[in-house]
Amino acid sequence: MLKSLVLRVFAVSFFVLGSSVALAQDKANYAYLSLEPEIVTNYISDSAQKLGYVRVSVELMIHDVNQLEIAEHHMPLLRSTAIEIFGQQPAEKVKSLTGREDIRRAILKALQEHMKQETGGEVVKNVIFTKYLYQGG
C-alpha cells in the first residue's frame, strides 16, 4: 500500500512539474549564441615580469529567436567588446569570484549598449561564462 501511494505521489508530481516546465518553455522564446572561438586574451598583471592571460567560453542569451540572425551579423562587435573588457581588468578582479561576476555584468552592459546603438534594441539578454580559466599575474 505504501509503495502504491509513493508511486501515485511520484506520478502526480511528475505530471505537475512536467506540465509547468512545458508551459515555461512555450513562453520562453530566447536563444543562445556562442562567441566562437573561445576568448583568449591578456589581462593587467600585478607585476611587469609576468604576463597573465584568461581563457573564457562565452554564451550569449538572446532575447528572441528572431534576433539570432541580427546577433550573428554583429558577432565581430560582440567578440571585440568582450575581449576589450577582459583586457582592461586587473589580476585581482580576474582571479576572484566577485570580480568575475563584475566582469560578466560589465560585458553584458557593454553588449546591450552596443546593440542598442546598432539595432535599436538590446538583443542580448544575458552573458554566461561556461569555461573560465586564468594563469599568471
Side-chain angles (χ1 to χ4, degrees), residues 13 25 66 84 86-87 90 127:
S13 63
Q25 286 178 346
N66 298 325
E84 183 179 328
F86 267 111
V127 172

Side-chain angles (χ1 to χ4, degrees), residues 8-127:
R8 279 190 230 164
V9 169
F10 177 74
V12 170
S13 63
F14 183 74
F15 177 73
V16 170
L17 290 175
S19 63
S20 64
V21 169
L23 289 174
Q25 286 178 346
D26 289 342
K27 292 178 185 176
N29 196 26
Y30 53 82
Y32 289 95
L33 180 63
S34 295
L35 291 184
E36 292 289 334
E38 293 177 334
I39 292 175
V40 179
T41 189
N42 295 331
Y43 60 85
I44 300 170
S45 175
D46 293 335
S47 84
Q49 304 298 324
K50 287 188 172 183
L51 190 61
Y53 76 92
V54 64
R55 180 177 182 173
V56 184
S57 293
V58 180
E59 301 287 328
L60 304 179
M61 179 187 262
I62 307 301
H63 276 289
D64 192 317
V65 171
N66 298 325
Q67 296 175 320
L68 196 54
E69 193 173 321
I70 294 168
E72 288 172 343
H73 176 74
H74 291 283
M75 186 61 74
L77 175 63
L78 300 173
R79 278 188 59 78
S80 172
T81 301
I83 291 168
E84 183 179 328
I85 290 172
F86 267 111
Q88 296 170 348
Q89 302 306 313
E92 58 273 358
K93 206 169 214 184
V94 170
K95 293 178 180 181
S96 74
L97 289 175
T98 55
R100 181 186 314 183
E101 179 61 16
D102 291 343
I103 295 168
R104 189 193 67 76
R105 278 196 233 118
I107 291 172
L108 175 61
K109 183 178 177 188
L111 294 181
Q112 288 175 335
E113 288 173 1
H114 284 311
M115 292 307 288
K116 202 170 229 175
Q117 289 173 354
E118 295 296 320
T119 68
E122 286 183 345
V123 179
V124 178
K125 182 175 183 171
N126 206 351
V127 172

